[in-house]
Amino acid sequence: MRVLCSECAWGAPVGALGVCARCGGILRPNYPDEAVTALAAIQPGPGIDRYRAVLPVSTPIPFLGEGDTPLIRSRKIGPALGLQNLFFKNEGRNPTGAFKDRAGALAAALALESGAGGVLTASSGNAASAISAYCAAAGLKCLILLEPGNPPAKLRQALATGARVVPVKGIFAHGPDALRELLLQVASQLNFYLAFVWAPINPYIVEGIKSFSYEFVARLGSAPDAVVAPVGGGDMFAAQWRGYLELKRAGVIAVPPRMLGAQSVSAPPLLEAFRAASARVPTLPYANSKISGINVPFTGDHALAAVRESGGAVVGVTDEEVFAMQSR
């Protein structure tokens, strides 16, 4: 494996955190041809360890039942929209109830491989639950920094699996650069592995999430025409695109899907960049969405790249529209 900048192709040391030291671009693991080609022979099933050849870790990945979640054909909404082949990927069937379990499993393995004394992250909820659970499975200490006022149910999950949770007022309010520096300093002081689930801070954990794409193709027998996903920081969105590019490189699919991102108009950094045809995603001075999982003022440039490379688009929706569709 090599670690290259996605913009200037500079080679960073394996294990380097943060962004490219030369141009500020997002770092990205790259795997040899034989590893990627092996995707064609891997059988689908639970656990992301089966994909270790195209993951940035050599030690076994802890398993709690993550992955291979149901892909369910829509019986009502799809036909109502004129779509006979609309599928929902039910990531709620992961151990702690969200796609972040794919990231949590890899984070624990990376921490073990680095010899760290524990794992540090900051989270609005789902990542905290996932990383805490997989740290418990791996016998690792876990420290979670979070904004006060997050959903109590998510906090309870992290506490129940042994994490130490420290509320930090305004932890996400000063922008991604300040957050990156804070987390790097705290992790260094504690000798903890920094497992923040966002590629501009940790470029490796996103790799666990791309297993979405492998499962889609294995279950459908082909690539979908389009993938629609909510976007906050952008890792889940960009990771899927990365997975489809690897499947194309392996000869499993011929054409990857268009990537369609959805953001709340109350927290729309990617939407604003797409509409303005910007080269980078700006950090907004606000994020006021009631949808806590995507209520962030910054999205990584890797999500914008996925939109453009795939010929996709970004749409904005109101919180009320989201809640109405959720109810429907």
Side-chain angles (χ1 to χ4, degrees), residues 74 97 133 169 224 247 272 303:
S74 174
K169 186 175 182 180
L247 290 167
E272 293 294 320

Side-chain angles (χ1 to χ4, degrees), residues 228-232 236-237 260-263 294:
V228 183
V231 183
M236 185 257 282
F237 187 79
L260 308 174
Q263 285 196 318
I294 58 172

